[in-house]
């Protein structure tokens, strides 16, 4: 009888630890916004919460890209706030696109992922104006956290000319 109690006790501890480890998975995301001209990315903005790097990359007339990078360490609370907004608004897709004719000229996407997840993202463009608006609100929340640090490193980009 005593052995059964020990076994049940150990099974209970194992089950509790499995539940707890599933709740503590770190949420991460990747963000990309790009402007496309002549089927080539002319300007892009990317951020990965795993690397904490925000990059502004621009194509110059000589055909070369120049980039500006800044490390922006978002806290778990910041990432959770963005993710919670996504859950609250619940847009069908996390990608907005703009087409002129049949040519894509603008694309913006956010991919949420739990570390060690093997899910592939669904990158279908929003077709509904309401979903586009929901996505923009999530994107605005992200920029609330990113822009202050970026402005400190590159203040000349925010001066009216």
């Amino acid at each position: 009888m005593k052995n059964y109690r020990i076994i049940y006790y150990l099974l209970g501890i194992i089950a509790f630890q499995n539940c707890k480890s599933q709740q503590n998975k770190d949420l991460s995301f990747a963000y990309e916004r790009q402007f496309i001209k002549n089927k080539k990315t002319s300007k892009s903005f990317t951020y990965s919460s795993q690397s904490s790097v925000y990059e502004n990359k621009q194509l110059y007339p000589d055909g070369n890209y120049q980039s500006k990078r800044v490390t922006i360490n978002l806290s778990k609370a910041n990432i959770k706030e963005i993710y919670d907004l996504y859950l609250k608004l619940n847009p069908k897709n996390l990608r907005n696109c703009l087409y002129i004719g049949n040519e894509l000229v603008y694309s913006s996407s956010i991919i949420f992922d739990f570390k060690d997840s093997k899910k592939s993202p669904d990158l279908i463009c929003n077709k509904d104006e309401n979903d586009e608006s929901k996505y923009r609100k999530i994107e605005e929340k992200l920029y609330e956290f990113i822009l202050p640090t970026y402005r400190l490193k590159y203040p000349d980009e925010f001066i009216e000319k």
Side-chain angles (χ1 to χ4, degrees), residues 127-142:
K127 293 177 177 39
D128 181 273
E129 198 171 304
N130 189 33
D131 283 326
E132 288 178 4
S133 176
K134 290 176 183 180
Y135 175 84
R136 278 192 300 275
K137 287 178 184 177
I138 297 165
E139 189 177 37
E140 287 169 7
K141 179 57 74 179
L142 168 64

Side-chain angles (χ1 to χ4, degrees), residues 101-118:
N102 288 333
E103 195 169 322
L104 179 67
V105 294
Y106 170 83
S107 173
S108 177
S109 62
I110 299 172
I111 301 167
F112 288 104
D113 199 13
F114 290 95
K115 288 183 182 173
D116 302 324
S117 176
K118 303 291 185 213

Side-chain angles (χ1 to χ4, degrees), residues 2 4 15 17 24 28 44-45 47 51 56-58 61-62 64 68 72 79 116-117 123 127 131 148 157:
K2 215 176 197 187
Y4 287 113
Q17 286 179 335
N24 288 334
S28 63
S44 69
F45 303 89
Y47 180 77
S51 67
N56 174 351
K57 195 172 174 183
Q58 187 169 354
D62 65 1
N64 292 314
K68 296 177 181 176
I72 301 172
I79 295 169
D116 302 324
S117 176
L123 294 178
K127 293 177 177 39
D131 283 326
E157 286 190 25

